[in-house]
Amino acid sequence: MTGDGTRPSDRDAAVICGIGHWLPPRVVTNADLCARLDTTEEWILSRTGIAARRVADEDLTTAGLAAEAGARALKSAGGHEVQALMLATTTPDRACPATAPEVASRLGLTGVAAFDVSAVCSGFLYALAAATGFIAAGHADRVLLVAAERFTSLLDPLDRTTVPIFGDGAGAVVLRRGAATEKGAVGPILLGSDGENRDLIRVEDGYFRMEGRAVFRQAVERMAETARAAAGAAGWSMDDVDRMVAHQANARVSAAVAAELGLPADRQAQNIRDVGNTAAASIPILLGQATADGVLAAGHRVLVTAFGGGLTWGATTVVWPDLETVP
């Protein structure tokens, strides 16, 4: 993809051909949190739009989450033949080595190129750009892209401002070489960053910290601006958008982005009420759930946008393909 968002060759488009997601079985409700935090169920729901989230048990690693979602995406795509695996995560299982090679090994993909991508909640879109680049450059015909997070492992258990927001989980897509005119072809991907505001979202002394009000303003502005630009690069107006799939940061953030773009509520795919903010994994989890539920259907014009620490942000478009989902 070139710097202005145009595609170097229509023959080298990356086409989504498989999708999968997986959530840890343990559900933590707002009532569960109120038993140990100085807050109320109503306060959490009104401020975040979240009623419950999934939390990984201590023995469930990021690699384990990723492998579950990746296996479902590969089955959805009809086969295990890929030449690269990219893992978007903020919570690798160790500082060194990367977690992606272990995920590849768990999936029987030993020998393929495998590496981690770190862009916090924008990680899926950053890794998607890398995957489309691999395909365009001829490095791979098929790529497995997984986003997996154990974000609850970064939280101060007594911090009522962060604990209610985040959950754990993983989502994945398989991309293949194809034509830009096909359903599933990934449109122009626009990415950005602002390192001067790096301290607005950070891990400090082992715990995640966030400057909530400043992050809200930045998230709404950056996501709306980049989404509008990505739609324009694809030749779409907002009237052409059937579904917006935004990073599930907070229900109020998503609503504000949609309002900025002039998109009504029935065009917003959402799952934050029951899943929470799963950071880099939120977009592919939502894509998977929305496909399974019929909220996303073949032919829908989908606008995808995200914002995360770094600061980082991004957006892209895709005409949704006909995909099989795997329970």
Side-chain angles (χ1 to χ4, degrees), residues 119-123 201 219 223 247 306-314:
V120 198
C121 299
S122 304
I201 300 171
M223 289 170 74
H247 162 56
F307 174 88
L311 299 174
T312 58
W313 55 86

Side-chain angles (χ1 to χ4, degrees), residues 203-209:
V203 174
E204 184 176 82
D205 298 326
Y207 289 132
F208 176 84
R209 307 295 183 195

Side-chain angles (χ1 to χ4, degrees), residues 33 36-37 53 155-157 159-166:
L33 295 182
R36 62 184 175 86
L37 295 175
R53 69 287 298 149
L155 305 179
D156 178 344
D159 183 359
R160 72 169 192 158
T161 66
T162 59
V163 168
I165 296 174
F166 293 95

Side-chain angles (χ1 to χ4, degrees), residues 20-27 53-56 60 65 68-69 72 149 167-171 271 274-276 278 281-282 285-286 289:
H21 70 279
W22 193 75
L23 296 166
R26 182 155 65 101
V27 178
R53 69 287 298 149
R54 301 294 186 94
V55 176
L60 180 56
L65 288 166
E68 291 282 359
R72 286 162 173 76
E149 301 280 21
D168 302 326
N271 65 355
D274 299 316
V275 176
T278 53
S282 79
I285 290 172
L286 179 52
Q289 290 185 326

